[in-house]
Amino acid sequence: MTSPYARITELNTHIGQVVRVRGWVTHLRSSGKVAFVVMRDGSGTLQCVLVKVSLPAETWEQYGGLSHETTIEVAGEVRSDKRAPGGVELAVTSLTITGPSPADYPIQPKEHGIDFLLDRRHLWLRSGRQRAIARVRHEIEQAIRDFFHKRDFTLVDTPILTAAIGERSGLFSTEYFDEGTAYLAQTGQLYGEAAAAALGRIYCFGPTFRAEKSKTRRHLSEFWMVEPEVAFNDSDDNMRLQEEFVSYIVQRCLERRRDELIELERDLSKLETVVAPFPRIDYSDAVRLLERKGSGVKWGDDLGAEDETLLVEGHDRPVFVFNYPKEAKAFYMKENPDDPRTVLCNDCLAPEGFGEIIGGSQREDDHDRLLRRIEEEKLPIDAYGWYLDLRKYGTFVHSGFGLGLERTVAWICGLPHVREAIAFPRMMHRLRP
Amino acid sequence: MTSPYARITELNTHIGQVVRVRGWVTHLRSSGKVAFVVMRDGSGTLQCVLVKVSLPAETWEQYGGLSHETTIEVAGEVRSDKRAPGGVELAVTSLTITGPSPADYPIQPKEHGIDFLLDRRHLWLRSGRQRAIARVRHEIEQAIRDFFHKRDFTLVDTPILTAAIGERSGLFSTEYFDEGTAYLAQTGQLYGEAAAAALGRIYCFGPTFRAEKSKTRRHLSEFWMVEPEVAFNDSDDNMRLQEEFVSYIVQRCLERRRDELIELERDLSKLETVVAPFPRIDYSDAVRLLERKGSGVKWGDDLGAEDETLLVEGHDRPVFVFNYPKEAKAFYMKENPDDPRTVLCNDCLAPEGFGEIIGGSQREDDHDRLLRRIEEEKLPIDAYGWYLDLRKYGTFVHSGFGLGLERTVAWICGLPHVREAIAFPRMMHRLRP
């Protein structure tokens, strides 16, 4: 009778039992009499112990055929070992090589250049650090889904292929049958607004695209964005939802992905303080503060990355900057009745200089004002007819925001560049693998 | 002091209290002395009662300004009423129009043609039937996420913009900076296989694209697909995972979206029987069965929609057809060692003639055999170098599948066409709104 297969993460429930484990070799060490094979199976890491005198000669000889990334199947007894990762080790009685790995495996335990690694992203993903990032990213995404599901939001998948939408520059385009040019969506928001009139509270969460020739550490040409839209929320409600949302995500990662964050050498104390409410700074106050700090920013400008870093100095949690000048922001934002030079909007800036992770706003719900803004921006009116309809038939106060997933992953994991925050990053000079 | 706002779905916890409710008018009826306003707020539907003699004249007069889709705010006492939807009604003491709706609201309670409705999809979404579909779709998506999250799968978002991938015909393309042409992904599978070697159990779930000039009721040019990939699963494990997965989704909708399915007039008895295990038919047996049933199919053909309908006849749950001829399927499927004319794969056919909802396979894990298949199919070898690497460095038995979301929504909701299964469908002649 053969022993059952077990995943490494489950082995602590099999102590004293004989099991079989499948996975890949990550480290090898041998004294000539005792050999240690560290393997991973995607669920965890396991130390396997081979003792020469207790093994058939052919099993011991298998050890010589192992290298980094060899796929193996081992059988043996699970033993408790406080010092081992996961608290167990395997006393091996049989070892089979099921997938050899030649000695030229390109990613070695030494420093590699970033382009070398990104060219081999399909293999680089196997490294401990990249696996930890992937698991934190997964947790953040599931936390996002759960947050909205529990609050009775309906997920609405907005289209990627669109006839005309949102911001106009930096669009990828494709021929769409006989319908002319289609553009890859930069946001699902406008569609989300239509859905909010049907379903009240909605969110979309999918890939978005920017064909911008930017090479900063915070830009990808393809990135994921989550965009809730809520009927009857004003700008203030919108910021409350954002701080509750961001706090939930961070606290859940601390609760469920502590091991991964420790592996990433993240300073957990910088995350533990991320609890609502977040400080709020009016844009005009922010400009005054920045002037005092020596920034060259002038009232009317959008804020740059360096300004954002200056603004979060001394704060232990994200900071809202709200009510920017109209010129600095998108056409669909609602004019501020108390200061018509500005719009009812906010950015949410992550602490530690990780920069903007959210942009949000109350939407212009007045048909004629919105029409005027579309004309001022010289947007194609006929493409926005359906969007104007939302203000014609039962207009409603509503607000929403977009949180950039990779920037959030980079912040929570403490990554200097967003390119590691997604499995296969797409940037100006990178379309492969 | 003003009364608190409440969502309609929460009103049964406010019986006897005065609350304010915001939403849109769906139905109006008046005797001249008593008026009924039915409104929706995205969470539910509420009957509001206005009694002329108990109201200030100006409140009663507001009634005359209401029409379909007018946005209103009402205040009043929540009263228990067994006959009303949600078990409550509102005894209105004040009513304010916050967003008028002109009488030309295009979607009226009568039959409209499908193109008329799809041209007004941004408004059509507000109808009861479309809201019910949206909620079932949401539940299916959350069920998918929860199914995999509970089983320790890691979500991996695979890229949309790719240099070269999967099936070759029917690709949308776009210029990608100076890197040449990028294609919109038809599948995330190949990337998922790389991630499975890192993380063991993974899934991707995002939009996929087909530029095919097809006008059937089962095709969209943009649709969502969920694709798990599992290290060390063979084809048999793969089918077990599929039947467990599909059963979970269906049973969860029955449990949590029964009201919506009833609103859609779905025959629930046809869903209640969807429980694993599912019947399995070998492809060759399926062809013999189809021949007996009068189909013109020949061994070697892929199965068409009519064949699929014939095969599920008499079954009360989905049916697997497995191990198709190599020529009918994709290059990456593993050759069947027991019959090298075939590959280790399966389709999963929904009952009631809803057709294929899943395609799955064990992947070819032998480097040289896979290389030969890539050459036979005349695929660009250099674009698949990274994919071949997965067979070079620690190859492993692995399997996965893709479930089409809109087909699954159409089946569970009982929709004759997939175009209603997504908020803003994209088809050959439809890119707007």
Side-chain angles (χ1 to χ4, degrees):
Chain A
M1 217 188 82
T2 52
S3 328
Y5 285 114
R7 298 176 77 223
I8 291 172
T9 194
E10 303 158 351
L11 290 181
N12 55 12
T13 66
H14 289 277
I15 289 166
Q17 297 167 13
V18 174
V19 299
R20 288 185 291 168
V21 180
R22 296 170 291 196
W24 293 267
V25 172
T26 65
H27 294 90
L28 296 165
R29 180 161 53 89
S30 173
S31 70
K33 291 176 183 169
V34 182
F36 297 92
V37 177
V38 181
M39 67 185 290
R40 59 175 184 81
D41 71 348
S43 80
T45 300
L46 173 67
Q47 177 166 284
C48 304
V49 184
L50 287 78
V51 178
K52 187 172 182 179
V53 295
S54 347
L55 285 175
E58 60 274 21
T59 300
W60 177 256
E61 278 155 21
Q62 290 285 330
Y63 179 83
L66 302 182
S67 63
H68 198 2
E69 294 305 318
T70 305
T71 318
I72 56 172
E73 179 172 323
V74 290
E77 186 186 321
V78 182
R79 290 195 304 218
S80 178
D81 181 347
K82 295 264 177 294
R83 298 156 307 172
V88 299
E89 64 175 21
L90 197 78
V92 171
T93 50
S94 87
L95 186 158
T96 312
I97 293 174
T98 56
S101 181
D104 67 346
Y105 184 69
I107 299 175
Q108 295 295 332
K110 61 166 192 175
E111 286 284 314
H112 292 288
I114 185 67
D115 281 325
F116 179 92
L117 290 169
L118 284 171
D119 286 344
R120 288 155 190 83
R121 184 65 171 163
H122 56 293
L123 302 174
W124 188 25
L125 290 176
R126 302 180 183 188
S127 75
R129 180 177 162 82
Q130 299 305 316
R131 296 196 319 265
I133 295 169
R135 290 201 191 282
V136 174
R137 179 182 168 112
H138 165 83
E139 193 67 42
I140 292 171
E141 294 203 61
Q142 189 69 26
I144 289 170
R145 306 269 172 198
D146 291 347
F147 179 88
F148 290 122
H149 184 64
K150 281 180 202 149
R151 282 159 184 78
D152 198 28
F153 282 64
T154 302
L155 171 64
V156 175
D157 296 309
T158 53
I160 306 298
L161 295 168
T162 56
I165 191 163
E167 304 168 34
R168 289 154 305 154
S169 63
L171 287 162
F172 289 107
S173 63
T174 185
E175 284 312 296
Y176 192 83
F177 304 109
D178 302 326
E179 300 294 305
T181 304
Y183 302 94
L184 301 195
Q186 295 183 329
T187 168
Q189 176 201 318
L190 308 195
Y191 295 97
E193 291 182 54
L199 298 155
R201 302 174 174 180
I202 68 92
Y203 77 103
C204 64
F205 189 7
T208 53
F209 302 87
R210 301 278 160 98
E212 281 159 15
K213 293 197 171 181
S214 72
K215 294 203 284 184
T216 83
R217 61 191 177 83
R218 283 148 74 167
H219 288 88
L220 295 169
S221 53
E222 176 179 337
F223 61 98
W224 282 63
M225 184 154 62
V226 51
E227 297 175 272
E229 190 73 34
V230 184
F232 309 116
N233 262 14
D234 64 16
S235 185
D236 187 56
D237 299 326
N238 197 32
M239 283 188 270
R240 277 206 299 274
L241 183 65
Q242 289 167 52
E243 62 197 8
E244 195 185 340
F245 179 56
V246 170
S247 305
Y248 175 81
I249 293 169
V250 171
Q251 296 307 318
R252 181 155 151 173
C253 288
L254 281 170
E255 184 191 309
R256 303 199 192 176
R257 297 295 168 180
R258 188 167 283 265
D259 290 348
E260 285 82 358
L261 293 170
I262 289 168
E263 166 141 20
L264 293 167
E265 300 176 328
R266 185 68 170 107
D267 182 348
L268 301 186
S269 72
K270 303 277 196 217
L271 298 175
E272 280 157 0
T273 52
V274 178
V275 177
F278 298 164
R280 299 183 184 190
I281 311 176
D282 176 275
Y283 169 86
S284 298
D285 292 339
V287 168
R288 278 191 287 274
L289 177 62
L290 288 170
E291 282 168 350
R292 280 205 304 278
K293 292 194 175 201
S295 162
V297 73
K298 290 274 164 291
W299 200 99
D301 298 344
D302 205 353
L303 304 181
E306 286 174 29
D307 297 323
E308 292 172 355
T309 301
L310 289 172
L311 286 173
V312 298
E313 268 180 0
H315 289 287
D316 63 357
R317 64 199 73 196
V319 171
F320 289 124
V321 181
F322 64 95
N323 294 2
Y324 284 66
K326 197 179 285 180
E327 293 68 32
K329 293 290 176 187
F331 74 95
Y332 49 70
M333 297 186 181
K334 186 167 178 66
E335 189 178 287
N336 179 3
D338 297 332
D339 180 357
R341 299 176 307 159
T342 64
V343 285
L344 298 174
C345 71
N346 74 273
D347 283 355
C348 179
L349 312 180
E352 304 171 71
F354 281 95
E356 182 201 331
I357 50 170
I358 290 180
S361 69
Q362 188 170 330
R363 318 309 189 183
E364 184 55 78
D365 50 33
D366 182 88
H367 180 278
D368 294 348
R369 245 188 218 125
L370 181 63
L371 178 61
R372 208 153 54 232
R373 290 289 291 129
I374 289 173
E375 288 168 346
E376 282 168 13
E377 300 269 335
K378 299 189 173 52
L379 293 166
I381 298 266
D382 70 320
Y384 289 92
W386 69 267
Y387 186 63
L388 284 160
D389 270 359
L390 308 179
R391 281 71 181 169
K392 185 173 175 191
Y393 300 107
T395 193
F396 58 114
V397 169
H398 60 293
S399 299
F401 62 88
L403 173 132
L405 179 62
E406 287 74 17
R407 290 181 178 188
T408 304
V409 173
W411 164 44
I412 293 178
C413 290
L415 311 177
H417 196 299
V418 291
R419 66 191 163 209
E420 283 183 70
I422 187 166
F424 294 93
R426 295 295 182 246
M427 296 173 289
M428 196 176 145
H429 295 301
R430 180 150 304 277
L431 183 60
R432 297 162 183 251
Chain B
M1 215 186 82
T2 52
S3 329
Y5 285 114
R7 300 177 75 223
I8 292 172
T9 193
E10 304 158 351
L11 290 181
N12 54 12
T13 67
H14 291 276
I15 289 166
Q17 297 167 12
V18 174
V19 298
R20 289 185 291 168
V21 180
R22 296 171 291 197
W24 293 266
V25 171
T26 65
H27 295 91
L28 296 164
R29 182 160 51 90
S30 172
S31 71
K33 293 177 182 168
V34 182
F36 297 92
V37 177
V38 181
M39 67 185 292
R40 60 174 184 83
D41 71 349
S43 81
T45 301
L46 172 68
Q47 177 167 285
C48 304
V49 185
L50 288 78
V51 179
K52 187 173 182 178
V53 294
S54 350
L55 286 175
E58 59 274 21
T59 300
W60 178 257
E61 277 156 22
Q62 289 285 331
Y63 179 84
L66 302 181
S67 63
H68 198 2
E69 296 304 319
T70 305
T71 318
I72 55 173
E73 178 172 323
V74 290
E77 185 185 323
V78 182
R79 290 195 305 219
S80 177
D81 181 345
K82 294 265 178 296
R83 297 156 308 172
V88 298
E89 64 175 23
L90 197 78
V92 170
T93 51
S94 89
L95 185 158
T96 312
I97 293 175
T98 56
S101 181
D104 67 348
Y105 184 70
I107 299 175
Q108 296 294 331
K110 62 166 192 173
E111 287 284 315
H112 293 288
I114 185 66
D115 282 324
F116 180 92
L117 289 169
L118 284 171
D119 286 343
R120 290 155 188 83
R121 184 63 172 165
H122 56 294
L123 302 174
W124 187 26
L125 291 175
R126 303 180 182 188
S127 74
R129 181 179 161 81
Q130 300 304 317
R131 296 196 319 265
I133 295 169
R135 290 201 191 283
V136 174
R137 180 182 167 112
H138 165 83
E139 193 67 43
I140 292 170
E141 294 203 60
Q142 189 70 25
I144 289 170
R145 305 269 174 199
D146 291 348
F147 179 88
F148 290 122
H149 183 64
K150 281 179 202 151
R151 282 160 184 77
D152 198 27
F153 281 65
T154 302
L155 171 64
V156 174
D157 296 310
T158 54
I160 305 298
L161 295 169
T162 56
I165 191 163
E167 304 170 32
R168 289 154 305 154
S169 63
L171 287 163
F172 289 108
S173 63
T174 185
E175 283 312 295
Y176 192 83
F177 304 108
D178 303 326
E179 301 293 306
T181 304
Y183 302 94
L184 301 194
Q186 295 183 331
T187 170
Q189 176 201 318
L190 309 196
Y191 294 97
E193 291 182 55
L199 298 154
R201 301 174 175 180
I202 68 93
Y203 76 102
C204 62
F205 189 7
T208 52
F209 302 87
R210 301 278 160 98
E212 280 160 15
K213 293 198 171 182
S214 72
K215 294 203 286 185
T216 81
R217 61 191 177 82
R218 282 148 74 166
H219 288 89
L220 296 169
S221 52
E222 176 179 336
F223 61 98
W224 282 63
M225 183 154 65
V226 52
E227 298 175 271
E229 191 74 34
V230 184
F232 309 116
N233 261 14
D234 64 17
S235 185
D236 187 56
D237 298 326
N238 197 33
M239 283 189 270
R240 276 205 301 271
L241 182 65
Q242 289 167 55
E243 63 197 8
E244 196 186 340
F245 178 56
V246 170
S247 306
Y248 175 81
I249 293 169
V250 172
Q251 296 307 317
R252 180 153 152 175
C253 288
L254 282 169
E255 184 191 308
R256 303 199 193 175
R257 297 295 168 179
R258 188 167 284 264
D259 290 350
E260 286 83 356
L261 292 171
I262 289 167
E263 166 142 18
L264 293 166
E265 301 177 325
R266 185 66 171 110
D267 182 348
L268 301 186
S269 71
K270 303 278 196 216
L271 297 175
E272 280 156 0
T273 52
V274 177
V275 176
F278 298 163
R280 301 182 183 189
I281 311 175
D282 176 275
Y283 169 85
S284 297
D285 292 340
V287 168
R288 277 190 287 273
L289 176 63
L290 288 168
E291 282 169 351
R292 281 204 304 278
K293 292 195 176 200
S295 161
V297 74
K298 290 275 165 291
W299 200 100
D301 298 344
D302 204 355
L303 305 181
E306 286 175 29
D307 296 324
E308 292 173 354
T309 301
L310 289 172
L311 285 173
V312 297
E313 267 179 1
H315 290 287
D316 63 357
R317 64 198 73 196
V319 171
F320 288 124
V321 181
F322 64 95
N323 295 1
Y324 284 66
K326 195 179 285 183
E327 292 68 33
K329 292 291 176 186
F331 74 94
Y332 49 70
M333 296 185 180
K334 187 167 179 65
E335 190 176 286
N336 180 2
D338 297 332
D339 179 358
R341 298 176 308 158
T342 65
V343 284
L344 298 174
C345 72
N346 73 273
D347 283 355
C348 178
L349 312 179
E352 303 171 73
F354 282 94
E356 181 200 331
I357 50 170
I358 289 180
S361 69
Q362 187 170 332
R363 317 309 188 183
E364 183 54 76
D365 50 32
D366 181 90
H367 179 278
D368 295 346
R369 242 187 221 127
L370 181 63
L371 178 61
R372 207 153 55 232
R373 290 290 291 130
I374 289 174
E375 288 168 345
E376 281 168 14
E377 300 271 334
K378 299 190 174 49
L379 293 166
I381 298 266
D382 71 320
Y384 289 92
W386 68 267
Y387 186 62
L388 285 161
D389 271 358
L390 309 179
R391 280 71 180 170
K392 185 174 173 192
Y393 301 107
T395 192
F396 58 114
V397 169
H398 61 292
S399 298
F401 62 88
L403 172 132
L405 179 62
E406 286 73 17
R407 290 181 178 187
T408 305
V409 172
W411 164 44
I412 292 177
C413 290
L415 312 177
H417 197 298
V418 290
R419 66 191 164 209
E420 282 183 70
I422 187 166
F424 294 93
R426 295 296 181 244
M427 295 172 289
M428 196 175 145
H429 295 300
R430 181 153 301 277
L431 183 60
R432 297 161 184 252

